Amino acid sequence: MRHDLLALPEGDPRELEAEEELFLSRLRDFCEKEVDSTEIERADRIPDHIIEGLKDLGAMSIKMPRRYGGLGLSSRCYHRALMLTSTTHPALSELLGAHQAIGLAQPLALFGTEEQKQQFLPRCVREITAFALTEADIGNDPYRIHTTAVYDSATDTYVLDGVKIWTTNGVIADLLVVMALVGPSDGDAGGMTAFIVDTDSPGVTVEHRSSFLGLRGLENGCIRLHRVMVPACHRIGEVGAGLDVALAAQDTGRLSLPAVSAAAAKWSLSVARQWSAARVQWDRPIGEYEAVAGKLAYIAATAFALEAMVEVTGRRTEGGDTDTRLDAELAKLFATEHACLVADELVQIRGGRGYETAESAVARGERGIPVEQLLRDVRVGRIFDGSSEALRGFIAHDLLEADGSSTGASESARAGVPSRDAEPGNGGLADHLAYIERISRHLAHLLNLATAELPTVLERQRHLGRIVDIGAELYAMSVTCVYARALAGAGDTSTTLADAFCHQSRLRVEALLDRIKDNSDERDRDLARSVLAGSCTWLEKGVVDPSTDGPWVADSTPRPATGPNLRRVVRPTPHTRPGTRSSATSEESR
């Protein structure tokens, strides 16, 4: 990827079409006037009238083509909508994101037949959907899937059996995309396959509603499928193509998490700026002290970089550029890691008020700012849509594979990071662009060395992870420079922000390069083996035993449901269709 391929069109890149601005204005008005975020946090539920209001606005079908009943707006408008809703309450953006980023609409758009689109996409305008992959025994390793789909030629149906866990929207959705294993038959190898499951179908049961560290209000649960009959025409794609469906949906929707992360950073900047100016210690605002000023600078620079990441990569995806998988993975990895760091720094700036709940602050007469909630809510980003560790492994594997098979490609292109071929002078950012080019070549060299050590190098996950993290930093620097250049005509401080971010990023890159040469990886592996062998159990003495009764992994044996169907118990629904509702998605796919 050359640096010029990231270029933005002329004009202010922040501008949207008039109808998109109108939609976002209506959404903002709804969030500010109708949503009580404290109520959601306290009750751990999104009230039904809020869900209905979002549907009325068209927020459940922002990108869906108008011919199927959607708004037909851009991906950038969708990302802005997630930023608004996530800073109102993150459960709202998760509801919308799980439904639109990886729910039924996205797999159908990519792999569905026209008949399937006409049948189901109009339902997605007001009915909630989700994606069911994760099981008790699988997370980032989908090949361990146990849910089965057995074809019955007499009825031209599949019979599904299995249990899905951590199913976002799982207590309230109407339609599921379920991943199930089809066995081999008649020369067909079978394999993981995607199915559309209507949750009104007999045998679909929500057995448990999950609770988490953050994201209160997230409708996430355990779904049991017992002899659920699914018409063969409700299969998405070919038999065995389920993993392709899952990965493609994730790749297309993966920018939703960077958008939410960017929103968290922008919100943090607003709070940090106002508090650092208002809070006075020793006759000076705390923001004037270098220790706090450094945190403010990091939050501001990172907020700019994350916004740049979403805007630049979002435009590439929107423009029909299909080669954006690596961009989205790097964006997700970088954005979610730094959102956690930003939230932690904000807690530190706020001090005791950062650790105190907003409700408690209000009760004693101060403004309630949910900073501790932000810290809890953003933490899951490093797990959703592929954990950071898994993503580093996936990206490294792809880069090594490309490095070994590419011919005639530039080193920096094979490294998956932009170079600045034919890049014109760019003022104060030119030095950073030169740095990106230089480190890109060095990164390609590191990949060449790693490729020569295949397959043993794949076991050196921390080593490869550092290489990927360097690539993510270079990608972030590149989009930041591109975004700053596009904004330069607006007369703002974009170049100053980009320059600050690139300086901070370069320090992180140099530290990672040092760790490649000098690290404790081998010693740590040896110690971990010793710990796993039980030789350090003496160190665990003197505390209350953390283990409790029950298995580490829940039983996922196919069987009939034994408890109540929580779709009926948790939320009686006055929505558009009678009956029960359910949904799912996975720990790595939200």
Side-chain angles (χ1 to χ4, degrees):
M1 182 202 313
R2 295 201 319 271
H3 181 77
D4 55 342
L5 294 180
L6 295 174
L8 294 174
E10 294 296 326
D12 191 336
R14 295 168 294 190
E15 290 184 355
L16 297 174
E17 298 293 332
E19 61 179 337
E20 295 178 324
E21 295 287 5
L22 178 60
F23 165 73
L24 292 174
S25 176
R26 294 173 59 215
L27 179 61
R28 177 187 290 274
D29 190 60
F30 175 82
C31 288
E32 290 177 346
K33 295 180 180 179
E34 302 296 331
V35 180
D36 183 347
S37 59
T38 303
E39 177 188 359
I40 296 174
E41 191 70 10
R42 186 187 303 120
D44 195 15
R45 296 285 192 279
I46 302 174
D48 284 331
H49 74 275
I50 299 301
I51 296 178
E52 291 303 305
L54 291 171
K55 292 177 181 179
D56 292 341
L57 287 169
M60 306 296 292
S61 55
I62 297 171
K63 297 187 296 179
M64 188 186 300
R66 293 175 185 175
R67 65 180 178 274
Y68 301 116
L71 296 183
L73 303 179
S74 67
S75 296
R76 290 188 303 126
C77 180
Y78 166 69
H79 295 148
R80 304 276 182 90
L82 293 183
M83 294 172 81
L84 283 174
T85 52
S86 68
T87 48
T88 303
H89 193 283
L92 301 181
S93 59
E94 287 304 321
L95 170 72
L96 300 180
H99 172 69
Q100 294 177 85
I102 56 170
L104 180 57
Q106 195 66 31
L108 279 188
L110 297 172
F111 295 93
T113 65
E114 184 57 35
E115 291 77 11
Q116 289 174 333
K117 293 176 184 178
Q118 291 180 7
Q119 180 180 358
F120 290 105
L121 287 183
R123 291 181 59 179
C124 295
V125 174
R126 295 197 65 87
E127 298 182 42
I128 298 171
T129 72
F131 191 87
L133 173 60
T134 299
E135 300 177 8
D137 202 31
I138 67 167
N140 291 304
D141 179 10
Y143 293 103
R144 294 172 59 87
I145 190 171
H146 296 301
T147 298
T148 59
V150 179
Y151 181 66
D152 182 355
S153 58
T155 59
D156 194 27
T157 62
Y158 288 88
V159 180
L160 273 61
D161 284 280
V163 180
K164 301 293 186 179
I165 65 170
W166 294 329
T167 56
T168 298
N169 292 350
V171 188
I172 62 173
D174 305 277
L175 294 164
L176 309 176
V177 178
V178 175
M179 291 294 160
L181 190 64
V182 176
S185 63
D186 298 330
D188 191 330
M192 187 193 300
T193 306
F195 297 91
I196 304 169
V197 175
D198 194 312
T199 59
D200 281 344
S201 303
V204 179
T205 306
V206 175
E207 290 194 329
H208 174 73
R209 185 180 186 275
S210 304
S211 297
F212 300 101
L213 170 70
L215 289 182
R216 306 274 167 80
L218 187 70
E219 295 291 1
N220 180 296
C222 174
I223 311 296
R224 182 173 294 277
L225 307 165
H226 178 68
R227 300 198 59 78
V228 178
M229 297 184 67
V230 178
C233 61
H234 290 185
R235 188 187 70 218
I236 303 176
E238 299 299 320
V239 171
L243 188 58
D244 292 335
V245 174
L247 292 177
Q250 282 185 347
D251 291 339
T252 305
R254 192 161 265 152
L255 278 178
S256 61
L257 273 174
V260 169
S261 298
K266 289 160 72 72
W267 185 90
S268 297
L269 177 60
S270 179
V271 174
R273 174 185 58 80
Q274 295 181 70
W275 173 248
S276 297
R279 178 63 164 166
V280 175
Q281 294 284 275
W282 296 288
D283 300 323
R284 293 169 63 187
I286 62 171
E288 294 184 7
Y289 291 99
E290 189 175 84
V292 175
K295 299 180 188 301
L296 270 175
Y298 167 70
I299 293 173
T302 302
F304 181 76
L306 298 190
E307 178 172 282
M309 204 169 270
V310 175
E311 291 293 329
V312 176
T313 305
R315 276 187 180 272
R316 287 193 67 210
T317 303
E318 212 167 78
D321 190 334
T322 57
D323 187 22
T324 56
R325 175 182 172 185
L326 181 59
D327 304 55
E329 289 179 340
L330 290 172
K332 188 273 177 184
L333 174 63
F334 185 91
T336 55
E337 288 284 330
H338 280 272
C340 288
L341 294 174
V342 164
D344 188 69
E345 292 287 47
L346 179 60
V347 169
Q348 195 69 17
I349 290 174
R350 286 277 287 168
R353 290 171 174 84
Y355 197 69
E356 185 181 22
T357 67
E359 275 197 289
S360 174
V362 170
R364 61 180 181 78
E366 287 192 2
R367 183 180 302 185
I369 307 294
V371 172
E372 60 82 27
Q373 180 190 330
L374 176 72
L375 188 64
R376 290 187 286 106
D377 290 338
V378 298
R379 181 59 182 83
V380 76
R382 295 169 59 197
I383 301 171
F384 271 165
D385 282 1
S387 69
S388 293
E389 292 74 20
L391 266 182
R392 290 185 181 101
F394 297 155
I395 294 170
H397 180 273
D398 289 347
L399 293 180
L400 291 174
E401 191 174 69
D403 190 77
S405 61
S406 295
T407 56
S410 70
E411 287 185 335
S412 56
R414 279 186 280 152
V417 294
S419 71
R420 50 187 287 272
D421 297 348
E423 176 65 27
N426 205 30
L429 301 181
D431 179 60
H432 298 309
L433 294 171
Y435 179 85
I436 294 168
E437 182 180 19
R438 177 167 62 83
I439 301 301
S440 293
R441 288 196 296 267
H442 182 57
L443 201 58
H445 173 65
L446 292 175
L447 283 170
N448 286 332
L449 294 177
T451 303
E453 298 178 25
L454 284 173
T456 56
V457 73
L458 294 176
E459 294 296 318
R460 298 177 60 194
Q461 294 178 336
R462 296 172 79 184
H463 173 73
L464 294 177
R466 294 181 190 107
I467 294 177
V468 170
D469 283 343
I470 292 170
E473 292 284 357
L474 297 180
Y475 175 73
M477 290 173 66
S478 298
V479 296
T480 301
C481 289
V482 167
Y483 193 52
R485 181 177 59 185
L487 291 174
D492 56 23
T493 57
S494 57
T495 300
T496 300
L497 287 164
D499 180 62
F501 174 79
C502 288
H503 275 293
Q504 294 170 10
S505 181
R506 289 170 68 162
L507 291 174
R508 293 192 292 265
V509 169
E510 294 301 320
L512 286 165
L513 289 171
D514 288 343
R515 289 292 299 279
I516 286 176
K517 294 179 291 185
D518 185 11
N519 57 70
S520 62
D521 293 355
E522 187 174 351
R523 291 184 183 85
D524 293 345
R525 284 195 300 270
D526 291 342
L527 176 57
R529 292 191 189 101
S530 179
V531 170
L532 289 172
S535 62
C536 299
T537 55
W538 59 268
L539 189 57
E540 302 167 13
K541 305 301 182 183
V543 298
V544 175
D545 189 346
S547 63
T548 58
D549 293 337
W552 285 101
V553 177
D555 177 24
S556 58
T557 304
R559 56 174 170 77
T562 57
N565 190 336
L566 296 183
R567 283 172 312 199
R568 301 181 187 273
V569 176
V570 173
R571 187 192 292 278
T573 57
H575 299 292
T576 55
R577 294 170 54 241
T580 60
R581 313 189 313 153
S582 139
S583 170
T585 158
S586 71
E587 69 175 310
E588 69 275 359
S589 63
R590 201 164 74 265

